[in-house]
Amino acid sequence: MLACVVRLRPSLGAQYLAVGMHGLVLGAIVLYSAGWQCLLWLLAWLFSALWAGYGLRQTRVKRIKISQQGQVSLVLMHRKTAIPAILCPGSMVRAKVMALQWQTAKGSVHQLLLPDMMDAQAWRRLQVWVRWCQPHKAQPVLRQLILYKVIHWFRLKDNNLE
């Protein structure tokens, strides 16, 4: 596999969705509440809008670097150096969204990726790597465990060892 660097940027689609949803909620608050409840709901709405704006502007992972051997390293916003990472098995890949969970030496990093967060070629390469090209370290252990269980169940012994 060719090495690639995926540079991430904030998603415009997610920002538009957040603005639209907050607009609908603001309309519902104004139309269906009155008095002190309206003020309370407006305060909660303001907090939610500020929190969504802050969350959408902050991309924790700045770059994803994939080496020719299939090893991944993440460049986080608050760091200048790359951190080696392993993709956890619970990650989800669909045509228009990827929910990835990375395991690093410092802990786990959860990431939601949309196609407008990177260019089309980087989106395709990352999807291909996540689905088929990542190194699987747990698979040989699982096969070996199944083999040992079969040997134990059938009480097979290696006659050359005795």
Side-chain angles (χ1 to χ4, degrees):
M1 172 167 185
L2 295 175
C4 78
V5 176
V6 178
R7 289 174 180 81
L8 300 175
R9 58 184 179 262
S11 172
L12 289 176
Q15 290 175 359
Y16 291 146
L17 181 64
V19 168
M21 295 298 287
H22 279 89
L24 289 174
V25 170
L26 180 62
I29 289 171
V30 170
L31 289 175
Y32 295 110
S33 64
W36 65 272
Q37 290 178 344
C38 182
L39 291 176
L40 185 66
W41 283 113
L42 284 174
L43 184 63
W45 176 85
L46 181 64
F47 178 72
S48 172
L50 290 174
W51 184 264
Y54 174 76
L56 288 172
R57 300 287 299 161
Q58 300 296 321
T59 305
R60 189 169 177 194
V61 177
K62 187 167 44 173
R63 277 183 299 218
I64 302 170
K65 294 181 179 181
I66 303 173
S67 69
Q68 289 183 348
Q69 293 81 21
Q71 304 299 321
V72 174
S73 56
L74 304 176
V75 178
L76 303 178
M77 288 299 265
H78 61 279
R79 292 182 170 240
K80 300 293 181 193
T81 60
I83 300 171
I86 298 171
L87 188 66
C88 295
S91 300
M92 179 193 72
V93 178
R94 297 290 182 255
K96 297 292 182 184
V97 68
M98 283 190 272
L100 306 178
Q101 180 183 359
W102 302 97
Q103 185 64 41
T104 65
K106 299 286 183 182
S108 61
V109 176
H110 299 275
Q111 189 176 29
L112 182 69
L113 297 174
L114 299 172
D116 66 342
M117 295 177 77
M118 62 194 84
D119 59 298
Q121 183 180 8
W123 176 260
R124 181 70 182 143
R125 282 183 178 228
L126 187 60
Q127 272 192 331
V128 167
W129 181 85
V130 169
R131 287 184 180 171
W132 294 292
C133 298
Q134 60 177 321
H136 295 286
K137 296 188 175 164
Q139 192 173 8
V141 174
L142 180 62
R143 287 182 186 161
Q144 195 174 29
L145 183 66
I146 292 171
L147 179 64
Y148 284 137
K149 283 185 178 182
V150 168
I151 289 171
H152 178 71
W153 285 338
F154 290 115
R155 293 183 174 86
L156 299 175
K157 294 182 184 177
D158 189 0
N159 293 331
N160 295 332
L161 294 176
E162 294 180 358

